[in-house]
Amino acid sequence: MNPILEKIKGGLIVSCQALEGEPLHGPIFMKKMALAAFQGGAVGIRANGPADIYEIKTEVSLPVIGLYKKNYPDSDVFITPTLREVHEIVEAGADIIAFDATFRKRPFGKTLEQFYCEIKEQFSDILLMADVSTFAEGLNAYRLGVDLISTTLSGYTPYTAHIQSFDEELLVQLVKNVDCPVIAEGRVDTPELAAKCLRLGAYSVVVGSAITRPQEITKRFVKEIENLSLSK
């Protein structure tokens, strides 16, 4: 088995991301967030953009799942949408490349198959992780030959927007039908749910907002307090 895959098996991967405009945006903050995750026992980091990835790799020895969120006017695909973003995060030191593997239209009219083949042609040794939103997308990515499949985008595409919690059904379907690691990701918001994902067969679990976005964590507490006040 690939040594990087061995390192993340059965453990927690922490997504250290902060978008522009958020209080913790920037590589200095994210590399310290990654260090905190490492000290807490994380087996891997998921990070966005070459600057964050590079700084995180200087701070911790954990495998890094790299992605690059970029918007293009002709497509809704924004997680590592083109080969340009792949080049930049590979150069920054990412160990695994995560990319949108949904059925949505890609930038410049390229198909997912064309994009995948371009990556393999130029980076034959890099591990590739397909972020999907449905079982059909996961099966398609598996047939292409990806190394890992993640449930990341369930609930975040127009045709899965009705899903507002972690998609256990998608996880179970993928685990039963593909012969590659399946990563549980997307609204895994409690330790109990993370453990359940592993019991359901997830290879490892990615948790982001519930650990690394204090503004979102604060909102959850405030909402519960406000609900209590309304019920009085």
Side-chain angles (χ1 to χ4, degrees):
M1 181 183 290
N2 184 287
I4 294 171
L5 295 181
E6 287 183 358
K7 289 180 180 179
I8 65 172
K9 184 176 183 180
L12 173 67
I13 298 166
V14 176
S15 182
C16 297
Q17 299 183 49
L19 300 177
E20 190 172 349
E22 294 183 355
L24 297 182
H25 177 68
I28 300 302
F29 296 116
M30 285 300 101
K31 75 174 185 177
K32 294 304 180 184
M33 189 70 78
L35 178 59
F38 169 70
Q39 292 176 347
V43 299
I45 303 295
R46 180 172 164 120
N48 171 39
D52 285 9
I53 292 166
Y54 178 81
E55 289 296 334
I56 287 169
K57 292 292 290 186
T58 67
E59 191 76 18
V60 299
S61 58
L62 299 176
V64 172
I65 299 171
L67 61 136
Y68 197 171
K69 292 179 178 177
K70 210 70 170 293
N71 291 308
Y72 285 84
D74 61 339
S75 173
D76 291 330
V77 169
F78 66 93
I79 296 179
T80 322
T82 76
L83 200 60
R84 178 177 180 177
E85 288 78 50
V86 175
H87 272 276
E88 292 193 47
I89 54 181
V90 169
E91 290 176 2
D95 301 286
I96 299 171
I97 302 301
F99 64 95
D100 182 313
T102 66
F103 288 144
R104 294 179 292 180
K105 177 186 174 185
R106 304 191 66 84
F108 311 118
K110 285 189 177 178
T111 66
L112 176 61
E113 290 76 12
Q114 289 172 328
F115 178 60
Y116 177 80
C117 289
E118 286 178 345
I119 301 175
K120 293 302 291 184
E121 182 178 341
Q122 298 193 34
F123 304 102
S124 58
D125 296 330
I126 198 78
L127 292 171
L128 299 179
M129 184 166 86
D131 289 346
V132 304
S133 70
T134 67
F135 173 64
E137 290 170 349
L139 200 58
N140 181 60
Y142 173 65
R143 288 169 176 164
L144 282 177
V146 299
D147 302 287
L148 310 91
I149 299 171
S150 176
T151 61
T152 312
L153 290 171
S154 177
Y156 297 99
T157 54
Y159 41 91
T160 63
H162 59 285
I163 300 172
Q164 295 296 308
S165 58
F166 175 73
D167 195 343
E168 290 185 21
E169 182 181 353
L170 175 58
L171 173 63
V172 171
Q173 281 184 308
L174 288 170
V175 167
K176 287 182 177 178
N177 290 279
V178 302
D179 188 25
C180 71
V182 177
I183 310 300
E185 182 176 5
R187 298 190 175 100
V188 180
D189 55 6
T190 67
E192 294 78 14
L193 180 53
K196 183 179 182 180
C197 288
L198 291 172
R199 289 197 299 271
L200 291 173
Y203 190 83
S204 52
V205 183
V206 175
V207 177
S209 296
I211 295 176
T212 60
R213 298 183 75 196
Q215 72 274 29
E216 295 302 321
I217 300 167
T218 303
K219 285 179 183 178
R220 290 173 59 193
F221 278 87
V222 170
K223 184 177 180 180
E224 287 301 314
I225 291 171
E226 289 176 343
N227 289 341
L228 178 63
S229 300
L230 291 173
S231 66
K232 289 182 178 180

Coordinates of all heavy atoms in Angstrom, one line a residue, residues 32-87:
K32 N -0.5 27.4 11.8 CA -0.6 27.2 13.2 C -1.9 26.3 13.5 O -1.9 25.5 14.5 CB -0.7 28.5 13.9 CG 0.6 29.3 13.8 CD 1.8 28.5 14.3 CE 3.1 29.3 14.2 NZ 4.3 28.4 14.7
M33 N -2.9 26.5 12.7 CA -4.1 25.6 12.9 C -3.7 24.2 12.6 O -4.1 23.3 13.3 CB -5.2 26.1 11.9 CG -6.5 25.4 12.2 SD -7.3 25.9 13.7 CE -8.0 27.5 13.2
A34 N -2.9 24.0 11.6 CA -2.4 22.6 11.3 C -1.6 22.1 12.4 O -1.7 20.9 12.7 CB -1.6 22.6 9.9
L35 N -0.7 22.9 13.0 CA 0.1 22.5 14.1 C -0.8 22.0 15.3 O -0.5 21.0 15.9 CB 1.1 23.6 14.5 CG 2.0 23.3 15.7 CD1 2.8 22.0 15.4 CD2 2.8 24.5 16.1
A36 N -1.8 22.8 15.5 CA -2.7 22.5 16.6 C -3.4 21.1 16.3 O -3.6 20.3 17.2 CB -3.8 23.6 16.8
A37 N -3.8 20.9 15.1 CA -4.5 19.7 14.7 C -3.5 18.5 14.9 O -3.9 17.4 15.4 CB -4.9 19.7 13.2
F38 N -2.2 18.7 14.5 CA -1.2 17.7 14.6 C -1.0 17.3 16.1 O -1.0 16.2 16.5 CB 0.1 18.2 14.0 CG 1.3 17.4 14.4 CD1 1.5 16.1 13.8 CD2 2.3 17.9 15.2 CE1 2.6 15.3 14.2 CE2 3.4 17.1 15.6 CZ 3.5 15.9 15.0
Q39 N -0.9 18.4 16.9 CA -0.8 18.1 18.4 C -2.0 17.4 19.0 O -1.8 16.7 20.0 CB -0.5 19.5 19.1 CG 0.9 20.1 18.7 CD 1.1 21.4 19.4 OE1 0.2 22.1 19.9 NE2 2.3 21.9 19.3
G40 N -3.1 17.6 18.4 CA -4.3 17.0 18.9 C -4.5 15.5 18.4 O -5.4 14.8 18.8
G41 N -3.6 15.1 17.5 CA -3.7 13.7 17.0 C -4.2 13.5 15.6 O -4.4 12.3 15.2
A42 N -4.3 14.5 14.8 CA -4.7 14.4 13.4 C -3.7 13.6 12.6 O -2.5 13.7 12.9 CB -5.0 15.7 12.7
V43 N -4.2 12.8 11.6 CA -3.2 12.0 10.8 C -3.0 12.7 9.5 O -2.1 12.2 8.7 CB -3.8 10.6 10.6 CG1 -3.9 9.9 11.9 CG2 -5.1 10.6 9.8
G44 N -3.7 13.8 9.2 CA -3.5 14.5 7.9 C -4.2 15.8 7.9 O -5.0 16.1 8.8
I45 N -3.9 16.6 6.9 CA -4.4 18.0 6.8 C -5.0 18.1 5.4 O -4.4 17.7 4.4 CB -3.3 19.1 7.0 CG1 -2.7 18.9 8.4 CG2 -3.9 20.5 6.8 CD1 -3.6 19.1 9.6
R46 N -6.1 18.8 5.3 CA -6.7 19.2 4.0 C -6.5 20.7 3.9 O -6.9 21.4 4.9 CB -8.1 18.8 3.8 CG -8.7 19.2 2.5 CD -10.1 18.5 2.3 NE -10.9 19.1 1.2 CZ -11.3 18.5 0.1 NH1 -11.1 17.2 0.0 NH2 -12.0 19.2 -0.8
A47 N -5.9 21.2 2.9 CA -5.6 22.7 2.8 C -5.9 23.2 1.4 O -5.8 22.5 0.4 CB -4.2 22.9 3.2
N48 N -6.2 24.5 1.4 CA -6.6 25.2 0.1 C -5.6 26.2 -0.3 O -5.2 27.1 0.4 CB -7.9 25.9 0.3 CG -8.3 26.8 -0.8 OD1 -8.1 26.4 -2.0 ND2 -8.9 28.0 -0.5
G49 N -5.0 26.0 -1.5 CA -4.2 27.0 -2.1 C -2.7 26.8 -1.9 O -2.3 26.3 -0.8
P50 N -1.8 27.2 -2.8 CA -0.4 26.9 -2.7 C 0.3 27.6 -1.5 O 1.2 27.0 -0.9 CB 0.2 27.4 -4.0 CG -0.9 28.3 -4.6 CD -2.2 27.8 -4.1
A51 N -0.1 28.8 -1.2 CA 0.5 29.5 -0.1 C 0.3 28.8 1.2 O 1.2 28.5 2.0 CB 0.0 30.9 0.0
D52 N -1.0 28.4 1.5 CA -1.3 27.7 2.7 C -0.6 26.3 2.8 O -0.1 25.9 3.8 CB -2.8 27.5 2.9 CG -3.5 28.8 3.3 OD1 -2.9 29.8 3.3 OD2 -4.7 28.7 3.6
I53 N -0.7 25.6 1.6 CA -0.1 24.2 1.6 C 1.4 24.3 1.9 O 1.9 23.5 2.7 CB -0.3 23.6 0.2 CG1 -1.8 23.3 0.0 CG2 0.5 22.3 0.0 CD1 -2.3 23.0 -1.4
Y54 N 2.1 25.3 1.2 CA 3.5 25.4 1.4 C 3.9 25.6 2.9 O 4.8 25.0 3.5 CB 4.1 26.5 0.6 CG 5.6 26.7 0.8 CD1 6.5 25.9 0.1 CD2 6.0 27.7 1.6 CE1 7.9 26.1 0.3 CE2 7.4 27.9 1.8 CZ 8.3 27.1 1.2 OH 9.6 27.3 1.4
E55 N 3.2 26.6 3.5 CA 3.5 26.9 4.9 C 3.1 25.8 5.9 O 3.9 25.5 6.8 CB 2.7 28.2 5.3 CG 3.2 29.4 4.7 CD 4.6 29.8 5.1 OE1 5.1 29.4 6.2 OE2 5.3 30.5 4.3
I56 N 2.0 25.1 5.6 CA 1.7 23.9 6.4 C 2.7 22.8 6.3 O 3.1 22.2 7.3 CB 0.3 23.4 6.0 CG1 -0.8 24.4 6.5 CG2 0.0 22.0 6.6 CD1 -2.2 24.1 5.9
K57 N 3.3 22.6 5.1 CA 4.3 21.6 5.0 C 5.6 21.9 5.7 O 6.3 21.0 6.1 CB 4.6 21.4 3.5 CG 3.4 20.7 2.7 CD 3.2 19.3 3.1 CE 4.3 18.4 2.7 NZ 4.0 16.9 2.9
T58 N 5.8 23.2 6.0 CA 7.0 23.6 6.7 C 6.8 23.4 8.2 O 7.7 23.4 9.0 CB 7.4 25.0 6.4 OG1 6.4 25.9 7.0 CG2 7.6 25.3 5.0
E59 N 5.5 23.3 8.6 CA 5.2 23.3 10.0 C 4.9 21.9 10.6 O 5.2 21.6 11.7 CB 3.9 24.2 10.3 CG 3.6 24.5 11.7 CD 4.5 25.5 12.3 OE1 5.1 26.3 11.5 OE2 4.5 25.6 13.5
V60 N 4.3 21.0 9.8 CA 4.0 19.7 10.3 C 4.4 18.7 9.2 O 4.6 19.0 8.1 CB 2.5 19.5 10.5 CG1 2.0 20.5 11.6 CG2 1.7 19.7 9.3
S61 N 4.6 17.4 9.7 CA 5.1 16.4 8.8 C 3.9 15.5 8.3 O 4.2 14.4 7.7 CB 6.1 15.5 9.6 OG 5.5 14.9 10.8
L62 N 2.7 15.9 8.6 CA 1.6 15.1 8.2 C 1.3 15.2 6.7 O 1.7 16.2 6.0 CB 0.3 15.7 8.9 CG 0.3 15.6 10.4 CD1 -1.0 16.3 10.9 CD2 0.4 14.2 10.9
P63 N 0.7 14.1 6.1 CA 0.3 14.2 4.7 C -0.7 15.3 4.5 O -1.6 15.6 5.3 CB -0.3 12.9 4.4 CG 0.2 12.0 5.5 CD 0.4 12.8 6.7
V64 N -0.6 16.1 3.4 CA -1.5 17.2 3.1 C -2.3 16.9 1.8 O -1.7 16.6 0.8 CB -0.7 18.5 2.9 CG1 -1.6 19.6 2.4 CG2 -0.1 18.9 4.2
I65 N -3.6 16.9 2.0 CA -4.5 16.8 0.8 C -4.7 18.3 0.3 O -5.2 19.1 1.0 CB -5.9 16.3 1.2 CG1 -5.7 14.8 1.7 CG2 -6.8 16.3 0.0 CD1 -7.0 14.3 2.3
G66 N -4.2 18.5 -0.9 CA -4.2 19.9 -1.4 C -5.3 20.1 -2.4 O -5.6 19.2 -3.2
L67 N -5.9 21.3 -2.4 CA -6.9 21.7 -3.4 C -6.7 23.2 -3.6 O -5.9 23.8 -2.9 CB -8.3 21.4 -2.9 CG -8.7 22.1 -1.6 CD1 -10.1 22.7 -1.7 CD2 -8.7 21.2 -0.4
Y68 N -7.3 23.7 -4.6 CA -7.2 25.1 -4.9 C -8.5 25.6 -5.4 O -8.9 25.3 -6.5 CB -6.1 25.3 -6.0 CG -5.6 26.7 -6.1 CD1 -4.5 27.0 -6.9 CD2 -6.2 27.8 -5.4 CE1 -3.9 28.3 -7.0 CE2 -5.7 29.1 -5.5 CZ -4.6 29.3 -6.3 OH -4.1 30.6 -6.4
K69 N -9.2 26.4 -4.6 CA -10.5 26.9 -5.0 C -10.4 28.1 -5.9 O -9.8 29.1 -5.5 CB -11.3 27.2 -3.7 CG -11.7 26.0 -2.9 CD -12.4 26.4 -1.6 CE -12.8 25.1 -0.8 NZ -13.5 25.5 0.5
K70 N -10.9 27.9 -7.1 CA -10.8 29.0 -8.1 C -12.1 29.1 -8.9 O -12.6 28.0 -9.3 CB -9.6 28.7 -9.0 CG -8.9 29.8 -9.6 CD -8.0 30.6 -8.6 CE -7.1 31.6 -9.2 NZ -6.0 31.0 -10.0
N71 N -12.6 30.3 -9.1 CA -13.8 30.4 -9.8 C -13.5 30.8 -11.3 O -12.7 31.6 -11.5 CB -14.7 31.6 -9.2 CG -15.2 31.2 -7.8 OD1 -15.8 30.1 -7.7 ND2 -15.0 32.0 -6.8
Y72 N -14.2 30.1 -12.2 CA -14.2 30.5 -13.6 C -15.6 30.8 -14.1 O -16.6 30.2 -13.7 CB -13.6 29.3 -14.4 CG -12.1 29.0 -14.2 CD1 -11.6 28.3 -13.1 CD2 -11.2 29.6 -15.1 CE1 -10.3 28.2 -13.0 CE2 -9.9 29.4 -15.0 CZ -9.4 28.7 -13.9 OH -8.0 28.5 -13.7
P73 N -15.7 31.8 -15.0 CA -17.0 32.3 -15.4 C -17.9 31.3 -16.1 O -19.1 31.5 -16.1 CB -16.7 33.5 -16.3 CG -15.3 33.3 -16.7 CD -14.6 32.6 -15.6
D74 N -17.3 30.3 -16.7 CA -18.0 29.4 -17.5 C -18.4 28.1 -16.8 O -18.8 27.1 -17.4 CB -17.3 29.1 -18.8 CG -16.0 28.4 -18.6 OD1 -15.4 28.5 -17.5 OD2 -15.5 27.7 -19.6
S75 N -18.1 28.0 -15.5 CA -18.3 26.7 -14.8 C -18.6 27.0 -13.3 O -18.1 27.9 -12.7 CB -17.1 25.9 -14.9 OG -17.2 24.7 -14.1
D76 N -19.4 26.1 -12.7 CA -19.6 26.1 -11.2 C -18.6 25.3 -10.5 O -18.6 25.3 -9.3 CB -21.0 25.6 -10.9 CG -22.1 26.5 -11.4 OD1 -21.9 27.7 -11.4 OD2 -23.2 26.0 -11.7
V77 N -17.8 24.5 -11.2 CA -16.7 23.7 -10.6 C -15.6 24.7 -10.1 O -15.1 25.5 -10.9 CB -16.1 22.7 -11.6 CG1 -14.9 22.1 -11.1 CG2 -17.2 21.7 -11.9
F78 N -15.3 24.6 -8.8 CA -14.3 25.5 -8.3 C -13.2 24.8 -7.4 O -12.3 25.4 -7.0 CB -14.9 26.6 -7.5 CG -15.6 26.2 -6.2 CD1 -15.0 26.2 -5.0 CD2 -16.9 25.8 -6.2 CE1 -15.6 25.8 -3.8 CE2 -17.6 25.4 -5.1 CZ -16.9 25.4 -3.9
I79 N -13.3 23.5 -7.1 CA -12.3 22.8 -6.4 C -11.3 22.2 -7.4 O -11.6 21.3 -8.1 CB -12.9 21.7 -5.5 CG1 -13.8 22.3 -4.4 CG2 -11.8 20.9 -4.8 CD1 -14.4 21.3 -3.5
T80 N -10.1 22.8 -7.4 CA -9.0 22.4 -8.3 C -9.6 22.2 -9.7 O -9.6 21.1 -10.3 CB -8.3 21.2 -7.9 OG1 -8.2 21.2 -6.4 CG2 -6.9 21.1 -8.5
P81 N -10.1 23.3 -10.4 CA -10.9 23.1 -11.6 C -10.1 22.8 -12.9 O -10.6 22.3 -13.8 CB -11.7 24.4 -11.7 CG -10.9 25.4 -11.0 CD -10.2 24.6 -9.9
T82 N -8.8 23.3 -12.9 CA -8.0 23.2 -14.1 C -6.6 22.7 -13.8 O -6.2 22.6 -12.6 CB -7.9 24.5 -14.9 OG1 -6.9 25.4 -14.2 CG2 -9.2 25.2 -15.0
L83 N -5.9 22.3 -14.8 CA -4.5 21.8 -14.7 C -3.6 22.9 -14.1 O -2.6 22.6 -13.4 CB -4.0 21.3 -16.0 CG -2.8 20.4 -16.0 CD1 -3.2 19.1 -15.2 CD2 -2.3 20.1 -17.4
R84 N -3.9 24.1 -14.3 CA -3.1 25.2 -13.7 C -3.0 25.1 -12.2 O -2.0 25.3 -11.6 CB -3.6 26.6 -14.2 CG -2.8 27.7 -13.6 CD -3.4 29.1 -14.2 NE -2.6 30.2 -13.6 CZ -2.8 31.4 -13.9 NH1 -3.7 31.7 -14.8 NH2 -2.1 32.4 -13.4
E85 N -4.2 24.9 -11.6 CA -4.3 24.8 -10.1 C -3.5 23.6 -9.7 O -2.9 23.6 -8.6 CB -5.7 24.8 -9.7 CG -6.4 26.1 -9.8 CD -6.9 26.5 -11.2 OE1 -7.5 25.6 -11.8 OE2 -6.6 27.6 -11.6
V86 N -3.7 22.5 -10.4 CA -2.9 21.2 -10.0 C -1.4 21.5 -10.0 O -0.8 21.1 -9.0 CB -3.3 20.1 -11.0 CG1 -2.4 18.9 -10.7 CG2 -4.7 19.7 -11.0
H87 N -0.9 22.1 -11.0 CA 0.5 22.5 -11.0 C 1.0 23.2 -9.8 O 2.0 22.9 -9.2 CB 0.9 23.3 -12.3 CG 1.2 22.5 -13.5 ND1 2.4 22.0 -13.7 CD2 0.4 22.1 -14.5 CE1 2.4 21.3 -14.9 NE2 1.2 21.4 -15.4

